Amino acid sequence: MAGDPFRDLGREHADLIAAAYARAQGAHPDLPEETFAEAIGLSVRAWADKLDAPPGLGEIRAYIETLHAEDLALACLCRAGDAPAWEKLVTEYRNALYAAARAITRDEGASRDLADELYADLYGLAEREGRRRSLLDYFHGRSSLRTWLQAVIAQRWVDRNRTFARAERIAAAQETIAATAPDPADPSRAPYLAAFARTFSAAVAELSSRDRLRLNLYYAQELTLKEIGRLMNEYESSVSRHLLRSRKKLRHRVEELLRRETHLDEEQIRLCYAFALEWWSADLGRFFAELR
Amino acid sequence: MTSKERDNAFEPLARMGLQSGPVQRGAECADAAIVAAFVERKLSAAERSRWETHFAGCAYCTAVLGAAARAGQELPQPETSRARWWAIPLTGTIAAAALAALFLHLHSLTQTTPSPAIVAESARTDELASVDKRAANLQENAPATLPSAPEMLALNEPVAREAPPAAPGNVEARDAQQKSSTSAGPHAKADQQATISKRAIGDATSALERPVAKKELYGTAIGGAGTAGENSLANAPAPSSQTLEKATGSVVSPIEIRSADGSGVWQIGRGGSISRRVATSWEAESSGVASDLIAGSAASSDICWVVGRGGVILRTTDGEHWEKLAPPTTSDFAGVVAQSATSAIVTASDGRRFATIDGGVSWHPQ
């Protein structure tokens, strides 16, 4: 391939590719070496495409060394239609997939639908140019096959869940209500709501990425401290401490902005909180009316 | 308003504010390979930093990460610093001591003499039995499904709780209750609507608004994208909490949980409400769930376990912050007996019992 920076990959890293093939062949003796080497090449290219800068030699070697060779080999054989490989994929991963889908959906029916549909796509029911297209075409061995399948299920669930799409419409409805329907009992409410929404957004934007991600995982995704810790590579106690600190920081910054930029006093800040809470929590019927 | 009161008032606002935001998948969003590599910590430091920045501002990717975290039951533990040479014999000594402690602990579980925590719990046996009966009634008369916490929270369900009833003669607490009742009018109304889920909106099934190419979702492959047709879920409307109350004929009233020495007191109730008694007043705490909480057990003034509907198991080890634990079943729970921060036995509403000695990491049927 002209201009392909990885055209000499097989030669430059022959030792690592051979070592990976040896690991893979232990579990999958029928795997052709050329097929596996090609898969490694594609894996390196897919990884490098997402980087900000081309990887150096050392980085490429480190990448190949840490590939999940056995899982990549299984994917290669499944893509090629190898029956024993497919049977292995089904018997070894099906229960884990169902369990993952159940953990995500909390619904037996939805979880089986999700997992069964995924299996169909893994097998590859669609054909293009005479070749069955499998979802496994997108697995490159950087993570384990199990974790990758869990990520795929997670994406599919998020895509299906219209709740998230609706949240956007609710946010739009809230803006409409705040802007056009002031409470007759308190016409001054709208400025408080606008001030709070503005300062809250500004304060969130000032948090560090890790603090924002941690808060989102805790509040928006309702993950446990342990789950967050594992994702962020922190201990539970650290997660708890960081969450507490971030929330306090967020509150102090919101109040500072309300005092400094909107010139609210303490009583008015308290009203801000009360109005914002009522606005977000009450009048759900009005929100629904906006959505229809 | 004290700083603590401000924090409590700000908590639901933070929750609802952080749940809003654009959720459309963008061209820059992570594919499954990146998400999986992030979860397994296979990204380089530069990649990780870059993707954390993206995830922090992307509701879609955060949702995928959250779902992937729930799906992954064997995520790697946080990495410790590099082991020191003196850690090896120390580790061995600690391991031996831990094994001895575990043996003694398991031995104590079989003892007939109950611990103070269990003695305190036994005083609530009648109450627990009535809760069991109420829970069974709820299960019998409840609809097939109830909205899940994420569904309710996605509709910006209020987290604010009504103050627990004051003890007789406690003027300050009564004042606090009256004040919160005065301002809780809309909250009470919202509380009644709290269980309206997305199903109550009558969400029609339809394809995704924007078909997503497989390459965007899953990354680079050999060849192009396939179809992205998805079958949305058909959802039947779920009843509001008023309907539920009519069906069951009862309202789950707040339940008090008290440690053996009386120093730790909590109240739990509907919609995930938890309050803790601090001096002469009740302070609302964030449970992080919207399910009805059915039972609890306090092992000390800071350690308390709570269970509820839909497989909810919560635990606090500092008396204030609550953590949701992975349950052994998603059935409703009717009871819990806690011995420590790591040991507890939960009872499902169908009578099954599960025990843990590692803080809910693993559960063993009893």
Side-chain angles (χ1 to χ4, degrees):
Chain A
M1 191 182 303
D4 179 8
F6 303 110
R7 62 180 178 277
D8 296 325
L9 193 77
R11 183 176 54 80
E12 288 171 349
H13 307 287
D15 58 330
L16 289 181
I17 294 175
Y21 179 67
R23 289 198 307 273
Q25 209 188 13
H28 307 284
D30 295 334
L31 176 70
E33 188 169 1
E34 277 181 14
T35 305
F36 187 71
E38 185 185 348
I40 289 191
L42 284 166
S43 178
V44 170
R45 287 181 179 86
W47 159 64
D49 273 347
K50 295 188 198 109
L51 297 177
D52 293 332
L57 210 63
E59 289 172 290
I60 296 175
R61 290 185 73 80
Y63 178 83
I64 296 174
E65 269 177 337
T66 57
L67 284 176
H68 288 255
E70 290 184 23
D71 286 352
L72 187 59
L74 179 63
C76 287
L77 288 168
C78 287
R79 285 198 294 261
D82 184 83
W86 178 248
E87 188 177 336
K88 185 180 169 73
L89 182 71
V90 170
T91 54
E92 287 192 11
Y93 289 90
R94 178 165 55 190
N95 286 342
L97 266 187
Y98 281 139
R102 268 199 303 276
I104 292 174
T105 65
R106 298 285 181 161
D107 181 298
E108 188 64 32
S111 65
R112 290 197 81 90
D113 284 345
L114 207 58
D116 289 341
E117 189 182 295
L118 176 61
Y119 258 106
D121 284 346
L122 288 173
Y123 186 72
L125 296 179
E127 283 208 19
R128 180 175 292 192
E129 297 168 0
R131 182 176 172 274
R132 185 192 293 139
R133 311 304 304 186
S134 164
L135 201 55
L136 287 170
D137 291 346
Y138 300 90
F139 175 69
H140 297 298
R142 189 173 191 189
S143 68
S144 68
L145 181 56
R146 183 181 179 127
T147 305
W148 181 80
L149 290 170
Q150 288 165 353
V152 170
I153 281 205
Q155 268 187 340
R156 290 187 166 208
W157 177 243
V158 171
D159 286 336
R160 283 186 176 197
N161 194 335
R162 287 178 60 83
T163 302
F164 295 94
R166 186 174 307 109
E168 194 172 12
R169 297 203 293 278
I170 286 177
Q174 288 169 349
E175 284 179 23
T176 304
I177 288 168
T180 65
D183 187 342
D186 192 345
S188 64
R189 186 171 293 208
Y192 285 108
L193 296 175
F196 182 83
R198 191 176 58 247
T199 53
F200 186 86
S201 297
V204 168
E206 290 175 9
L207 294 173
S208 72
S209 297
R210 278 183 78 83
D211 284 346
R212 283 172 66 187
L213 181 58
R214 214 181 281 106
L215 285 172
N216 283 329
L217 290 173
Y218 183 75
Y219 284 113
Q221 300 308 316
E222 291 190 296
L223 294 191
T224 64
L225 297 179
K226 184 177 292 181
E227 286 167 342
I228 296 173
R230 284 175 167 170
L231 275 179
M232 311 284 297
N233 193 22
E234 295 171 346
Y235 288 105
E236 286 180 60
S237 54
S238 298
V239 174
S240 176
R241 196 172 61 249
H242 287 311
L243 282 172
L244 197 62
R245 179 181 51 77
S246 301
R247 194 189 65 185
K248 232 180 215 346
K249 191 173 174 183
L250 196 59
R251 176 175 77 76
H252 286 152
R253 184 62 179 150
V254 165
E255 291 178 5
E256 183 189 357
L257 289 172
L258 285 172
R259 278 187 215 105
R260 203 174 66 195
E261 295 183 0
T262 322
H263 308 293
L264 299 188
D265 59 26
E266 296 308 307
E267 176 58 23
Q268 288 169 322
I269 291 176
R270 191 192 68 77
L271 281 176
C272 247
Y273 284 6
F275 289 163
L277 194 59
E278 288 178 15
W279 175 50
W280 265 329
S281 61
D283 291 336
L284 287 176
R286 295 172 70 187
F287 294 158
F288 298 160
E290 288 286 323
L291 296 175
R292 288 190 196 107
Chain B
M1 210 184 222
T2 64
S3 179
K4 186 86 175 181
E5 286 168 346
R6 283 237 174 121
D7 280 342
N8 289 341
F10 192 77
E11 166 78 7
L13 297 174
R15 179 183 301 278
M16 287 185 274
L18 287 164
Q19 286 175 353
S20 60
V23 293
Q24 192 76 5
R25 190 181 194 283
E28 299 299 317
C29 286
D31 57 26
I34 290 294
V35 171
F38 184 92
V39 166
E40 287 193 351
R41 292 189 217 120
K42 290 296 181 64
L43 300 180
S44 66
E47 284 177 290
R48 192 168 182 90
S49 174
R50 174 201 159 186
W51 283 108
E52 274 181 2
T53 301
H54 173 83
F55 293 157
C58 178
Y60 177 88
C61 285
T62 308
V64 173
L65 263 189
R70 281 190 290 274
Q73 292 159 9
E74 293 168 6
L75 294 176
Q77 296 286 346
E79 291 162 2
T80 58
S81 55
R82 204 190 304 177
R84 303 285 189 261
W85 61 268
W86 42 258
I88 298 171
L90 183 62
T91 305
T93 306
I94 293 173
L99 278 173
L102 180 62
F103 172 77
L104 288 172
H105 178 78
L106 288 173
H107 184 63
S108 73
L109 283 179
T110 64
Q111 294 302 305
T112 55
T113 306
S115 71
I118 295 179
V119 167
E121 264 309 298
S122 67
R124 294 183 58 243
T125 302
D126 287 345
E127 184 181 349
L128 199 59
S130 74
V131 169
D132 283 344
K133 193 177 173 187
R134 272 210 303 274
N137 282 339
L138 278 173
Q139 186 137 11
E140 208 175 286
N141 296 309
T145 56
L146 284 176
S148 65
E151 289 171 349
M152 291 200 285
L153 287 174
L155 293 173
N156 296 329
E157 189 228 13
V159 181
R161 322 276 182 225
E162 293 177 7
N170 189 329
V171 176
E172 285 179 70
R174 273 210 299 275
D175 284 343
Q177 183 191 0
Q178 281 175 355
K179 280 179 189 168
S180 71
S181 296
T182 304
S183 64
H187 299 167
K189 176 186 170 189
D191 219 17
Q192 289 175 357
Q193 295 173 328
T195 57
I196 295 175
S197 72
K198 65 176 179 181
R199 294 172 184 155
I201 300 174
D203 183 21
T205 59
S206 62
L208 285 175
E209 291 168 6
R210 180 179 82 87
V212 181
K214 276 190 177 175
K215 183 176 181 206
E216 287 183 50
L217 279 173
Y218 310 123
T220 308
I222 306 169
T227 57
E230 301 278 356
N231 294 322
S232 298
L233 300 173
N235 299 314
S240 67
S241 60
Q242 287 175 316
T243 308
L244 181 61
E245 287 171 20
K246 282 181 188 169
T248 59
S250 67
V251 175
V252 179
S253 55
I255 296 166
E256 189 171 288
I257 307 160
R258 190 180 285 267
S259 62
D261 61 0
S263 59
V265 185
W266 291 266
Q267 275 202 355
I268 59 173
R270 290 184 62 88
S273 70
I274 298 181
S275 300
R276 185 188 190 193
R277 195 165 73 191
V278 177
T280 57
S281 62
W282 290 94
E283 291 194 0
E285 296 184 340
S286 172
S287 68
V289 301
S291 307
D292 292 342
L293 302 177
I294 303 295
S297 173
S300 72
S301 58
D302 288 325
I303 297 170
C304 184
W305 294 63
V306 166
V307 297
R309 302 205 64 160
V312 163
I313 302 176
L314 307 173
R315 180 193 62 176
T316 180
T317 54
D318 64 1
E320 186 180 356
H321 297 97
W322 291 87
E323 178 189 3
K324 188 174 170 188
L325 305 178
T329 171
T330 52
S331 301
D332 297 343
F333 287 109
V336 59
V337 174
Q339 279 207 321
S340 68
T342 54
S343 300
I345 299 176
V346 296
T347 305
S349 55
D350 58 5
R352 289 180 295 159
R353 291 155 62 90
F354 303 90
T356 182
I357 56 171
D358 54 8
V361 174
S362 60
W363 294 91
H364 310 281
Q366 301 295 293

